[in-house]
Amino acid sequence: MAEEKALLSVLRGEARKIPPLWLMRQAGRYLPEYRDVRATTTSFLEFCYSPKKAAEVTLQPIRRFHFDAAILFSDILVVPDAMGQRVSFESGAGPRLEPIETPQQVERLGDFNIEHLAPVFETIELVKSALASDVAFIGFCGAPFTVASYMIAGQGTPDQAPARLFAYRFPDAFGKLIDCVVDASIAYLSRQIDAGVEVVQIFDSWAGVLPANEFMRWSAEPVRRIVAGVKARHPQTPIIAFVREADAHLPMLTQTIGADAYGIDTALDPVWAVAQTASDIVLQGNLDPLALVAGGDALDREVDSILGAFKGRPHIFNLGHGILQQTPIENVERLVARVRRAGG
Ligand code: CP3
């Protein structure tokens, strides 16, 4: 029988001498081969909805760096797009949506039309048929608070103030929006799994700005419901929850939301995270993306310190947030070599 994929064995709780390695946003603009394919389509979402191209850029970082996992190339904002809140990306300016300013606009949102995302499922099938047998395949969605923060503001904001204000002023309408995203995310992740992904990650990039009560209500609880909903349909599929800047909430999250692994961001001390969570909790992270830009001794030192902190624990090596566009390729090669000699 073929040996189990390294990522899947760690997600079952096995501590490995050499942790499996992948990088958030590993397909992207730091790769010249990504820029070449990207240049063939003007609209970013149209690019996400082009199965051959999306499959190709999903596979590029695997060919180059032999990571232990491929992550589907798509975006978290395809979910509002499939609810009829059309999304566009302006080059250099990030995502743009028609903002939601009133409870009535929440009422008017369309049903989640999952067939709008058929090209994503086709991408998954293409990747699946081309992926080497030792590489795991990760699907994903955004967490409800993070997705809702773009749906309310209509764009990225530094502190998610529009969504936070809307939640204080119109908690019922905000709750309804969150519920819509929870239901859509359960359906969407389930279809990704049906199409061939083996693991799913939920990205909560922006919940870290919330005060404790709001964090429980709008981040932890909706993420718990997504985990429960996906597990009810696909009990064998591991789920990674990445709640960025969750900081002191991490121990509570590992006891309440029921995921199989927890991503930790750059600023969290891994020694603290290890000490504050039960020894069978699987953690993922948390190299500073800027250390990967810097390279050299600074990179080696940070890599060794993370490996040391997680020694003996089930750990997935990753960044603490997405890879930066200015990252030199040779630094990624250096990282891979350093992590993989950890056992020797
Ligand atoms: O990890 C991967 O390689 C898979 C692909 C992936 C993308 N976005 C591709 C992308 C994933 C997992 C995401 C998640 C995502 N998208 C998040 C959560 C993770 C995080 O980084 O916090 C968020 C908040 C988004 C929303 C989003 N998409 C923004 C704010 C932007 C613009 C910022 C930017 O970097 O330009 C995007 C666009 C985007 N998504 C790009 C890529 C490769 C860049 C656009 C391009 O190549 O033209």
Side-chain angles (χ1 to χ4, degrees):
M1 209 179 87
E3 209 193 320
E4 191 179 23
K5 301 179 187 187
L7 180 76
L8 301 182
S9 87
V10 170
L11 284 166
R12 273 194 305 99
E14 190 186 323
R16 292 176 79 106
K17 250 182 166 174
I18 301 179
L21 165 68
W22 69 281
L23 303 180
M24 289 187 280
R25 299 274 198 116
Q26 65 191 17
R29 289 168 294 191
Y30 73 106
L31 289 175
E33 60 270 37
Y34 171 85
R35 296 193 297 269
D36 286 346
V37 186
R38 178 71 187 86
T40 62
T41 311
T42 314
S43 144
F44 178 67
L45 270 196
E46 197 186 314
F47 184 56
C48 290
Y49 296 146
S50 306
K52 285 205 182 84
K53 292 176 187 179
E56 166 61 19
V57 299
T58 301
L59 293 164
Q60 285 173 344
I62 307 303
R63 282 190 208 117
R64 214 185 239 278
F65 305 116
H66 306 286
F67 291 131
D68 292 283
I71 181 162
L72 166 70
F73 188 84
S74 180
D75 197 82
I76 64 168
L77 297 178
V78 300
V79 166
D81 198 56
M83 287 176 173
Q85 194 188 13
R86 292 288 178 248
V87 177
S88 63
F89 284 81
E90 287 168 22
S91 64
R96 288 288 181 273
L97 304 76
E98 181 73 34
I100 294 179
E101 283 153 352
T102 65
Q104 292 72 30
Q105 281 172 284
V106 174
E107 297 295 331
R108 283 201 297 268
L109 270 178
D111 289 336
F112 176 58
N113 175 14
I114 200 162
E115 294 318 320
H116 187 69
L117 304 181
V120 177
F121 309 126
E122 202 182 321
T123 302
I124 293 174
E125 283 162 16
L126 289 175
V127 172
K128 187 77 180 171
S129 64
L131 208 55
S133 62
D134 57 345
V135 181
F137 190 11
I138 305 173
F140 69 93
C141 72
F145 180 77
T146 288
V147 172
S149 74
Y150 287 96
M151 294 179 78
I152 300 275
Q155 59 183 347
T157 59
D159 53 5
Q160 285 61 62
R164 289 158 66 194
L165 268 176
F166 192 98
Y168 285 126
R169 286 182 178 142
F170 312 114
D172 291 345
F174 194 70
K176 190 157 185 229
L177 177 59
I178 292 283
D179 290 349
C180 289
V181 181
V182 167
D183 292 345
S185 302
I186 293 169
Y188 181 43
L189 290 179
S190 297
R191 277 285 292 270
Q192 290 185 34
I193 296 165
D194 290 337
V197 305
E198 302 166 286
V199 175
V200 293
Q201 173 157 321
I202 303 168
F203 286 86
D204 211 347
S205 305
W206 300 121
V209 295
L210 294 171
N213 292 334
E214 298 285 286
F215 180 86
M216 284 305 296
R217 185 171 184 188
W218 305 128
S219 173
E221 179 56 19
V223 171
R224 187 195 67 71
R225 281 163 53 207
I226 295 177
V227 172
V230 174
K231 292 265 174 208
R233 292 169 175 75
H234 298 281
Q236 306 300 331
T237 304
I239 303 179
I240 306 172
F242 174 54
V243 184
R244 197 165 74 87
E245 292 171 1
D247 300 337
H249 296 303
L250 179 71
M252 175 278 291
L253 288 175
T254 64
Q255 289 165 19
T256 54
I257 66 179
D260 298 87
Y262 298 85
I264 63 174
D265 71 272
T266 302
L268 200 66
D269 176 1
V271 175
W272 183 90
V274 164
Q276 296 294 321
T277 52
S279 60
D280 58 344
I281 295 292
V282 184
L283 297 173
Q284 170 173 282
N286 73 336
L287 180 71
D288 186 351
L290 280 175
L292 192 56
V293 173
D297 291 344
L299 173 62
D300 293 351
R301 199 181 57 232
E302 288 306 307
V303 170
D304 294 353
S305 141
I306 289 167
L307 291 170
F310 290 111
K311 212 173 180 143
R313 275 286 284 256
H315 171 226
I316 303 159
F317 201 103
N318 206 315
L319 297 171
H321 197 194
I323 192 168
L324 296 163
Q325 192 177 350
Q326 69 269 35
T327 305
I329 287 183
E330 58 271 25
N331 293 357
V332 182
E333 289 164 346
R334 188 180 180 116
L335 163 71
V336 173
R338 190 115 189 146
V339 171
R340 296 220 165 123
R341 59 156 232 201

